[in-house]
Amino acid sequence: MNKMQKALHELSEMDELAARQSPIHSLHPAAKLITTIVYILITLSFDKYDLSGLVPMVLWPVIMFQVSGVDVHTCFYKLRIVLPLVMAVGLFNPFFDKEIMVTIGGVGISGGVISMITLMLKGVFCLMMSFLLMATTKIDSLCAALRKLHVPAMLVSLLQLTYRYVGVMTEELAVMTEAYSLRAPGQKGIHVSAWGSFLGQLLLRSMDRAQELFSSMMLRGYHEHFHYADIRPFNIKDALFMGLCIAFFFLLRYADIAQLIGGLFVR
Amino acid sequence: MIEFQNVSFAYEKKEYVLHDMSFRIEKGESVGLIGANGAGKSTIMKLLLGLLQGEGKILIDGIEVKKDTLGEIRAKLGFVLQNSDNQMFMPTVYEDMIFGPLNYGLSREVVDQRVDEVLKRLDLEYLKHRYNHKISGGEKRMGAIATILAMEPQAILMDEPTSALDPFNRRLVINTIRELDQTKLIASHDLDMILDTCDRVILISGGRIAADGPAKEILSNKDLLEANRMELPLSMMGKK
């Protein structure tokens, strides 16, 4: 299995994760979507130096992992490409912001270091929650929920087709890289001189396939409405979940949980 | 049921790939569409489905294929694509099967009943909740046929339904096609399969009808086939 085939397999695994059964999986997709958006907004709203306030926000993803049965390792494994990029945000802060803000054991920690860690954690938490949403909700259900929230059909179609298109493009890429490697033994990756034609071919081939796939959808009555998503009515359980989650997020945001817990041990 | 009246089509201006083509397929007929690569078989399929627009008139069950009748036309026609990967785009076989009927406004109960009936008929119950990326090529082809049958179309169009299948799966697909009672139009280079499944054959050459008649008659005519870059089906070789 080459790298691209592995990527394709991983992509398919997301559908399998989303099809599992758990209390989180069974929730209405709109409840999960709104909760995730609120979580992300609240996480991003923390001040760049408010590290102690931000850290308790990890509690929610931890609870979600436990209840949904999604493996934390799977999350970090699948996010391994994006995580370094997120971690790189704020990497230069320690060089620009050198003012010492905290001293631990005689070692001064600058505002730059704190803001760097805060930014990294914000990114990681948001990615974890986005992953959890995708791992517990089928893409079609998510799209159906977006339509219920009156997101324009055109945008929802775009999201759904992009999701499908990524798979198509990865499949084509897998075939092309395999064909390339068979005629370039011992060569690692695609040689820079072939990048242009390779990308051009990839685009043309995947566009052809995407067109055929879209035709297949159209021929089976697709008209930008997600009748096929198995989405049940929003019930009291979903409302309760959403309300409690949002209340919990606000509690984490406005009550200094870290200080409260710390106060139990330190006088 | 299907009628082509003086249909011409060009992808590029003035370079016609179909020339003034006319034929008629009656309800319940099983017709094989054969011809060399580039003869125009796929173009005929796409014109029938309204994926391309040409000159002339195409009628399906008396309704002309045009922009504002496409919904009605496509509900009557089921199209099995050559590449089943493009047909099976949902995560599981079941989700693919309910996609079309739900889009046409049927209730979940009716659709579920249809799905179970079709899977039972094709002996594919075990495939129902399987992931499309985890089933074999043969199973995917059968799944693709099942998705189309779940729509209960009046006519089924198939583009190379037996390509890239092993002998066992090929035979399975052929037997399934033979048992379908809908009108069938099958484009293929697999002439043995056409002989097994079709009563009538339309031979296309250079965008024109080179021959139209009983399958056995056309598929045993060595000179006609060779003149159109084809050859006798294996089962016909050695027979007079």
Side-chain angles (χ1 to χ4, degrees):
Chain A
M1 212 191 285
N2 70 22
K3 274 184 186 174
M4 286 304 130
Q5 283 165 332
K6 275 184 192 165
L8 197 61
H9 186 70
E10 278 187 41
L11 201 66
S12 313
E13 275 179 348
M14 286 305 288
D15 285 329
E16 286 178 47
L17 278 177
R20 282 189 190 172
Q21 300 290 323
S22 83
I24 303 295
H25 284 80
S26 67
L27 287 165
H28 193 281
K32 286 184 271 184
L33 179 68
I34 293 170
T35 309
T36 305
I37 292 171
V38 173
Y39 177 89
I40 289 172
L41 289 176
I42 288 183
T43 302
L44 294 177
S45 75
F46 278 91
D47 185 78
K48 64 178 178 176
Y49 299 123
D50 192 4
L51 182 58
S52 64
L54 177 68
V55 169
M57 288 300 285
V58 78
L59 283 173
W60 187 243
V62 169
I63 294 170
M64 288 280 282
F65 277 117
Q66 285 300 316
V67 181
S68 66
V70 175
D71 193 8
V72 185
H73 172 259
T74 311
C75 169
F76 284 102
Y77 182 73
K78 288 200 185 292
L79 294 176
R80 66 194 182 281
I81 310 284
V82 201
L83 274 175
L85 299 174
V86 170
M87 301 291 264
V89 176
L91 209 60
F92 294 103
N93 287 17
F95 301 105
F96 297 114
D97 184 356
K98 292 180 178 173
E99 192 185 334
I100 301 297
M101 291 193 75
V102 188
T103 307
I104 301 174
V107 180
I109 299 173
S110 70
V113 171
I114 292 175
S115 65
M116 179 187 74
I117 298 171
T118 308
L119 280 172
M120 284 175 176
L121 286 181
K122 280 183 183 183
V124 172
F125 292 173
C126 292
L127 277 177
M128 279 160 79
M129 279 307 288
S130 308
F131 172 82
L132 276 165
L133 175 68
M134 293 303 293
T136 57
T137 320
K138 290 180 182 176
I139 185 74
D140 300 315
S141 306
L142 199 61
C143 289
L146 286 168
R147 284 296 295 136
K148 289 247 185 253
L149 295 171
H150 299 284
V151 175
M154 185 60 87
L155 286 178
V156 179
S157 291
L158 204 64
L159 172 72
Q160 211 228 6
L161 292 176
T162 304
Y163 184 81
R164 304 241 175 273
Y165 188 69
V166 169
V168 169
M169 206 155 154
T170 315
E171 265 177 41
E172 289 302 324
L173 197 57
V175 172
M176 285 176 71
T177 45
E178 193 161 70
Y180 182 93
S181 62
L182 287 171
R183 284 184 289 154
Q187 194 176 306
K188 226 178 176 183
I190 312 291
H191 193 268
V192 70
S193 61
W195 281 11
S197 54
F198 197 86
L199 282 175
Q201 276 300 313
L202 173 67
L203 186 69
L204 291 173
R205 287 168 61 120
S206 53
M207 272 170 67
D208 272 353
R209 276 207 57 197
Q211 180 61 51
E212 195 163 346
L213 201 141
F214 187 64
S215 296
S216 168
M217 290 171 78
M218 298 294 281
L219 292 175
R220 283 194 271 160
Y222 175 74
H223 41 70
E224 296 168 2
H225 293 286
F226 298 86
H227 295 301
Y228 48 87
D230 196 3
I231 185 166
R232 56 167 178 78
F234 196 89
N235 63 24
I236 187 81
K237 195 180 89 178
D238 305 309
L240 206 64
F241 167 82
M242 214 171 76
L244 286 175
C245 288
I246 293 172
F248 184 59
F249 299 157
F250 276 96
L251 179 75
L252 292 175
R253 176 71 182 88
Y254 293 107
D256 197 342
I257 303 287
Q259 198 174 33
L260 285 173
I261 296 171
L264 295 174
F265 303 101
V266 182
R267 282 182 183 273
Chain B
M1 170 79 208
I2 295 173
E3 200 171 350
F4 253 52
Q5 293 179 358
N6 308 102
V7 177
S8 298
F9 179 78
Y11 284 101
E12 302 285 332
K13 273 184 185 173
K14 290 180 184 172
E15 283 184 32
Y16 280 88
V17 289
L18 292 186
H19 305 268
D20 198 26
M21 188 175 279
S22 297
F23 62 84
R24 188 181 162 85
I25 297 171
E26 299 301 335
K27 197 173 178 181
E29 256 192 306
S30 187
V31 179
L33 202 56
I34 63 169
N37 289 331
K41 304 185 296 291
S42 298
T43 306
I44 291 174
M45 296 277 192
K46 286 178 181 169
L47 284 164
L48 277 169
L49 295 158
L51 293 172
L52 297 173
Q53 278 83 41
E55 298 160 24
K57 206 181 240 188
I58 301 168
L59 301 167
I60 309 290
D61 216 11
I63 304 163
E64 189 177 350
V65 179
K66 49 187 180 182
K67 208 175 175 183
D68 49 349
T69 59
L70 285 182
E72 212 177 337
I73 295 290
R74 288 171 180 173
K76 289 176 186 289
L77 300 176
F79 183 41
V80 179
L81 276 75
Q82 182 175 359
N83 185 350
S84 303
D85 283 328
N86 293 342
Q87 185 120 32
M88 308 289 281
F89 47 78
M90 298 294 280
T92 63
V93 174
Y94 168 73
E95 284 165 291
D96 249 309
M97 287 183 75
I98 62 171
F99 180 88
L102 287 184
N103 277 332
Y104 281 112
L106 294 175
S107 71
R108 176 73 69 162
E109 291 73 32
V110 172
V111 175
D112 278 343
Q113 198 183 334
R114 268 195 196 182
V115 167
D116 288 338
E117 279 168 12
V118 170
L119 289 174
K120 193 174 177 190
R121 184 174 159 200
L122 301 182
D123 209 11
L124 293 176
E125 285 114 319
Y126 71 100
L127 272 187
K128 188 173 177 181
H129 295 294
R130 295 272 300 274
Y131 286 94
N132 283 328
H133 67 277
K134 285 192 170 172
I135 60 179
S136 71
E139 288 171 331
K140 210 174 269 185
R141 189 65 53 87
M142 289 301 291
I145 294 173
T147 62
I148 295 306
L149 291 182
M151 290 172 64
E152 292 190 354
Q154 290 179 21
I156 299 181
L157 315 182
M158 295 181 168
D159 193 2
E160 295 288 1
T162 52
S163 67
L165 292 182
D166 62 42
F168 176 82
N169 282 309
R170 179 180 168 276
R171 182 49 55 191
L172 195 65
V173 170
I174 289 174
N175 291 341
T176 305
I177 295 172
R178 286 170 66 139
E179 283 168 20
L180 302 177
D181 43 17
Q182 283 95 341
T183 307
K184 285 163 275 180
L185 181 62
I186 306 167
S188 183
H189 294 296
D190 182 351
L191 301 187
D192 285 288
M193 180 271 290
I194 294 286
L195 198 58
D196 260 359
T197 55
C198 301
D199 320 309
R200 177 182 157 198
V201 159
I202 299 176
L203 171 60
I204 310 289
S205 181
R208 290 187 169 84
I209 294 177
D212 182 352
K216 277 185 185 159
E217 200 176 288
I218 291 180
L219 295 177
S220 58
N221 189 335
K222 190 171 181 248
D223 296 336
L224 173 70
L225 292 173
E226 286 182 355
N228 291 288
R229 295 168 59 194
M230 309 201 80
E231 59 182 23
L232 283 177
L234 285 172
S235 55
M236 284 284 182
M237 285 186 182
K239 286 184 185 175
K240 272 200 172 179

